[in-house]
Amino acid sequence: QVQLVESGGGLVQAGGSLRLSCAASGRTFSNYRMGWFRQAPGKEREFVAFISRSGGTTDYADSVKGRFTISRDNAKNTVVLQMDALKPEDTAVFYCAAGSPSRAILAQYGSPGAYDYWGQGTQVTVSL
């Protein structure tokens, strides 16, 4: 089991920044690929960002490229999503997720099916 706890959400004006953190506990954190997803009211959960186990590979949804940055610290068992130049359309509940190597065979990292464990989510609201 891996437990994930997100923090850092809140209310921010358009153009502002937020830094989301995800603290992991349980099994060896460095064994897991990590992702951030978000879900807005009435919409499906969508991929936001991915980082490989070593942190050497990252990828982003087109809608956040150039504005969001994902990073991880395997010594501290944390993954961070730095969000800059926020827009009202970024408003959503943000979730971090951990994917085991076996899951990597089943689904591409942009799919929720690639992840075994999920946090409870943190609300991000961007106002005009």
Side-chain angles (χ1 to χ4, degrees):
Q1 285 279 351
V2 174
Q3 292 78 42
L4 302 172
V5 179
E6 302 99 335
S7 60
L11 174 64
V12 65
Q13 286 189 326
S17 299
L18 282 174
R19 184 179 176 87
L20 304 184
S21 293
C22 176
S25 61
R27 296 187 175 179
T28 305
F29 179 67
S30 59
N31 286 345
Y32 291 83
R33 308 191 305 176
M34 298 299 296
W36 284 95
F37 287 73
R38 65 186 180 187
Q39 188 166 16
K43 295 188 177 181
E44 292 188 353
R45 191 167 298 191
E46 65 172 2
F47 169 72
V48 175
F50 162 82
I51 189 165
S52 62
R53 288 177 286 175
S54 69
T57 300
T58 59
D59 196 16
Y60 302 88
D62 287 344
S63 59
V64 307
K65 275 181 182 175
R67 300 188 297 122
F68 291 11
T69 304
I70 188 172
S71 61
R72 69 188 294 164
D73 186 335
N74 285 342
K76 295 182 178 179
N77 291 357
T78 59
V79 60
V80 170
L81 185 69
Q82 176 66 40
M83 306 188 296
D84 298 316
L86 283 160
K87 304 175 181 179
E89 51 263 45
D90 294 318
T91 296
V93 177
F94 281 70
Y95 300 89
C96 73
S100 63
S102 59
R103 280 278 184 169
I105 300 171
L106 299 177
Q108 195 261 359
Y109 59 72
S111 167
Y115 301 88
D116 304 76
Y117 304 103
W118 294 81
Q120 82 289 350
T122 185
Q123 176 70 46
V124 170
T125 303
V126 184
S127 64
L128 288 168

